[in-house]
Every structure is written in C-alpha cells, then in structure tokens.
Amino acid sequence: MQVLKQVEPLVESEAISAWVRRWAPLIPGGEVLDLACGNGRHARHLVGLGHPVIALDHDPEMLEKAAGTGIVTSLVDLEAPGAAWPFAAGRFAGIVVTNYLHRPLIESLVASLAPDGLLVYETFSEGNEQFGKPSNPKFLLKEGEMLGWAAQHGLRVVAYEEGRVEQPKAALVQRICAVRPDFPRLAALLPPF
C-alpha cells in the first residue's frame, strides 16, 4: 500500500495571486523578474511555468525563503538614496509585481521588458485606507494610474481591473496585464470566464 504524503495547505500570504496565476502563462520564453518578491510565492510559480527567475527584494530573510532551483535572488533596496535600476533594457520576457509601488521605477521597469515582453502588475489603489494598510498615498495608485503608465510607455493592455477584492483580504486594487509592441496579438489567449 502506498502512503501519500499529506501536503500542508498554503497560508494566505503564500497563495499565488489569482491575477498572476491567470496571466503568467502568457509570458514568452525567457527570464522573468519577480520584483519585491517577498517569500518567493510567484518566483516558484514562474519557475514551474519553465522560466528562469530573478527574485529581487530588499529583505534578506525574505530572499532566503524565496531561494530555490531556477531562482536567482538579488538583494537590492531600490528605494535607498542613490539607488539605480540594476537591469538592462530589454532583458526580461516578463516582469511580475504584486503589492508594491515605487513610482520612480516604472520607466526603467518597462524599459527592461523585452520587445515582446509581458508585465503582470497588481497593487493597492486609493481608498484602500478604509481597509487598513497600506494607507499612505505614496503607496496607493490613483484612479486609472496603471492605464496611464501603459499609454505613456507604449504598452498594449491585454487586461485591466480596478476595484475591491475580498481575498486574501479586503482591499482596493488595480491590476494590469500589458505587453510590449512585439508581443503577438494571437499569443494573448484570453481565459474563459
């Protein structure tokens, strides 16, 4: 008789974002950046999809948790005085960002996408203060702000949402999946509802 190992369920903080789960499969082959990776939940998911991953965070304890096969961790505090974006233009097939906002990075972040690269981004928006943290306007997107980024940087929007979510906790968020101009239109396979 074979005994199956019981797997512990993921705690909410380890669960993969439904937005990332939905759109990450569209990332073309190549290296992916998991920016502000935290414990590496998305980095591991991306490796599972066949991508080599750079997992970047400012917290060495989180990077220890994120480390794993196919994941190169990078300890960088992008908000430190004088910090510079460490990646070349056109390097990444995909960039994934969740629950993080530092507006000065947006231009460099988009420039680091390959000509056919894909951006999956999800974070909090104004009004989230009624649900708790983050509540500082510095960390909350203005209405439609992600759509403005896409227009300003020549990204084609595949999907966008703005509104209230209940999981993993009640929050107001914006989410975007956007691609660089060389991403083939036919590759943007939209999942059924």
Side-chain angles (χ1 to χ4, degrees), residues 90 95 105-114 119 149 153 155 180:
I95 298 177
L105 300 177
I106 301 305
E107 185 174 344
S108 297
L109 183 150
V110 172
S112 289
L113 281 171
L119 173 65
W149 297 348
H153 297 291
L155 297 174
R180 293 288 302 265

Side-chain angles (χ1 to χ4, degrees), residues 144-178:
E145 187 172 346
M146 284 184 170
L147 290 174
W149 297 348
Q152 180 180 0
H153 297 291
L155 297 174
R156 189 171 75 240
V157 176
V158 173
Y160 173 80
E161 292 182 344
E162 183 171 352
R164 179 178 171 163
V165 296
E166 293 298 322
Q167 298 296 324
K169 66 176 190 163
L172 283 180
V173 300
Q174 284 181 47
R175 304 166 165 166
I176 197 165
C177 174

Side-chain angles (χ1 to χ4, degrees), residues 17 19-27 33 94-98 113 118-122 146 175-178:
S17 156
W19 190 252
V20 172
R21 185 181 303 280
R22 181 175 181 185
W23 298 110
L26 297 186
I27 297 172
L33 173 63
I95 298 177
V96 172
V97 187
T98 61
L113 281 171
L118 183 136
L119 173 65
V120 178
Y121 204 129
E122 172 182 41
M146 284 184 170
R175 304 166 165 166
I176 197 165
C177 174

Side-chain angles (χ1 to χ4, degrees), residues 122-133:
E122 172 182 41
T123 198
F124 303 98
S125 60
E126 287 180 333
N128 191 69
E129 57 276 4
Q130 65 188 301
F131 300 108
K133 302 276 184 196

Side-chain angles (χ1 to χ4, degrees), residues 51-87:
H51 298 282
V53 175
I54 301 284
L56 184 145
D57 205 285
H58 75 282
D59 184 336
E61 289 181 27
M62 287 290 110
L63 287 176
E64 280 185 41
K65 294 175 183 178
T69 303
I71 301 170
V72 173
T73 59
S74 181
L75 178 63
V76 179
D77 183 351
L78 293 169
E79 297 179 39
W85 182 253
F87 303 112

Side-chain angles (χ1 to χ4, degrees), residues 16 20-22 24-25 40-50:
I16 298 161
V20 172
R21 185 181 303 280
R22 181 175 181 185
R41 63 192 172 127
H42 295 124
R44 287 186 290 280
H45 179 66
L46 294 160
V47 166
L49 294 174

